[in-house]
Amino acid sequence: MFSWYRQSALTVVHLADVSANVDADGLSSSEWFKRGWTLQELLAPATMLFFTNDWTLYRSSVVPNHKDDPVILRELEQASGIPSRHLRDFHPGMDDARSRLRWASGRRTTRPQDIAYSLFGIFNLHLPVLYSESVEDALGRLLAEIISQSGDTSLLDWVGEPSSFHSCFPASFTSYTSLPCLFSVQDGLALHMSALISQEISNALRHKLDSLLKSPRPHFINHNLTLPCIVHRLRTIQPVPTFESGRYVYVLEAVGLKPLKVALPAKLDGGLETRCVLIRPWNARLLSPYSESSVASEMLVRMLDEPFHALLLLGLPRSEYKRIASHSNIVAYPADLGAILNGEVMTLNVV
């Protein structure tokens, strides 16, 4: 269906709930921007015209393409939450997959599974439509395919209930409503830090860099996620008193990280320090552009010195791990420059 809209010479949208004398935010209140399938109807066409309930042109705009009208384009951006550059020139695929999931997170469909199926064209995926499956399975198949083809671990950045399909996936698209965790460092930080790096640390950085570049791409097979990551083993788990029902707060101390607080939906059993780890999911493509560069180690320092969205995993038998969902993002901060090297580069099997 995406390609059908993509090849259209003109796509006409009749907004039955928008009047000709609509106020400034009229599009935001329209049901059209809350439905799942209309997301591809908005992104795929190059040329669109919007009409109000009495079939007059929206805003009386007579331009041949309402995506070229700056006033309407700004309203479309506000109503959909999609940057104007994508509205005007959208390319299907898996670039910035986390943002594309966010665009769909507030939409709904008559058949619950359709919220996942409506994104197949947006991600340029060809998967079977199986209405006999659950919503969690439909979403799980979509996320598994995106990770396997792109290696994009930003899909693991969510908060909410875990899916029965896989512990690293959410049960609902609404878990992607919030903005992803994005952190930045000051310009030139890596160059400044490089002056402080001893030869011993420099050699250790090069070894870690080689390990990261050689790590496999994240992929998903038979409900198992092969996940390259940097592992920070826990030293202590300290409960924090709280009076909120269904909320358990802990302070975690992990190797190489500053102590951090987490809020979990379930109580942790005692003695789990030796079985739990905090991890930084890794995608080798992050460093690929610098692999042959003299600044590769400096770029690694820049990346590893940033705070990051950590996943809390519980070790299981047969060298498997399971994600422990949290009530809020787990933001981890490296303790110091030397602590950057304390994380272990590993590839874990997560179920």
Side-chain angles (χ1 to χ4, degrees):
M1 188 176 289
F2 181 92
S3 60
W4 192 81
Y5 284 106
R6 189 68 159 183
Q7 296 167 15
S8 67
L10 170 66
T11 296
V12 173
V13 177
H14 178 236
L15 302 173
D17 54 357
V18 176
S19 62
N21 58 350
V22 68
D23 56 20
D25 60 348
L27 293 183
S28 297
S29 61
S30 175
E31 184 69 18
W32 195 83
F33 290 91
K34 299 177 176 65
R35 291 161 48 196
W37 286 105
T38 57
L39 179 58
Q40 63 178 350
E41 296 172 19
L42 175 64
L43 290 170
T47 305
M48 300 186 73
L49 289 176
F50 291 87
F51 288 82
T52 61
N53 57 359
D54 63 356
W55 282 100
T56 58
L57 284 166
Y58 184 71
R59 299 287 181 206
S60 300
S61 175
V62 295
V63 297
N65 182 8
H66 280 171
K67 287 186 175 183
D68 290 334
D69 184 313
V71 174
I72 295 179
L73 183 63
R74 184 163 55 251
E75 288 189 48
L76 291 173
E77 187 175 26
Q78 293 172 349
S80 65
I82 301 172
S84 58
R85 67 180 185 277
H86 293 300
L87 293 171
R88 297 189 64 184
D89 185 25
F90 179 73
H91 297 278
M94 301 181 195
D95 291 342
D96 198 10
R98 177 61 172 73
S99 292
R100 299 185 183 208
L101 291 169
R102 182 171 178 265
W103 300 343
S105 63
R107 294 173 177 259
R108 57 181 179 271
T109 54
T110 302
R111 290 180 173 180
Q113 302 92 331
D114 275 342
I115 195 62
Y117 303 154
S118 65
L119 297 180
F120 287 178
I122 288 173
F123 286 105
N124 197 25
L125 291 174
H126 302 279
L127 296 172
V129 173
L130 307 172
Y131 283 113
S132 59
E133 68 182 343
S134 67
V135 180
E136 293 185 18
D137 285 356
L139 174 57
R141 284 199 300 122
L142 173 66
L143 299 179
E145 193 66 20
I146 295 172
I147 287 182
S148 295
Q149 289 197 27
S150 69
D152 188 351
T153 57
S154 69
L155 306 187
L156 308 181
D157 181 359
W158 55 268
V159 171
E161 294 296 323
S163 170
S164 59
F165 185 88
H166 193 274
S167 68
C168 278
F169 294 162
S172 168
F173 267 97
T174 57
S175 292
Y176 290 115
T177 303
S178 62
L179 291 169
C181 284
L182 297 175
F183 306 99
S184 60
V185 292
Q186 298 177 356
D187 292 339
L189 175 62
L191 296 176
H192 170 72
M193 294 179 68
S194 64
L196 305 176
I197 297 176
S198 66
Q199 186 61 45
E200 180 180 359
I201 293 180
S202 179
N203 292 337
L205 275 172
R206 171 53 62 177
H207 176 74
K208 188 172 291 290
L209 176 64
D210 291 340
S211 298
L212 289 170
L213 289 174
K214 293 176 181 177
S215 61
R217 189 170 69 175
H219 60 276
F220 198 94
I221 299 178
N222 297 328
H223 287 253
N224 289 335
L225 175 61
T226 299
L227 185 61
C229 55
I230 300 177
V231 176
H232 298 271
R233 301 189 181 278
L234 292 191
R235 288 190 176 118
T236 62
I237 302 176
Q238 296 293 334
V240 176
T242 179
F243 299 100
E244 296 183 51
S245 176
R247 184 181 178 91
Y248 302 88
V249 180
Y250 299 88
V251 173
L252 308 182
E253 292 188 13
V255 174
L257 301 176
K258 295 179 180 179
L260 56 88
K261 186 179 293 186
V262 299
L264 308 178
K267 186 176 182 179
L268 294 178
D269 295 331
L272 289 181
E273 289 88 345
T274 58
R275 294 175 56 195
C276 287
V277 294
L278 285 169
I279 69 165
R280 181 200 295 254
W282 190 258
N283 184 349
R285 293 193 304 173
L286 294 173
L287 281 175
S288 295
Y290 312 101
S291 58
E292 303 300 329
S293 170
S294 59
V295 299
S297 294
E298 294 174 0
M299 292 305 302
L300 179 61
V301 171
R302 178 191 290 267
M303 293 176 184
L304 297 186
D305 190 60
E306 293 180 1
F308 63 94
H309 175 223
L311 304 185
L312 177 61
L313 303 185
L314 172 66
L316 303 174
R318 302 194 303 271
S319 301
E320 294 178 334
Y321 288 83
K322 180 180 181 179
R323 180 175 179 176
I324 300 176
S326 59
H327 278 306
S328 58
N329 285 318
I330 302 176
V331 181
Y333 291 81
D336 52 51
L337 177 58
I340 290 175
L341 303 175
N342 292 334
E344 304 171 49
V345 178
M346 302 179 65
T347 299
L348 303 182
N349 184 30
V350 188
V351 297

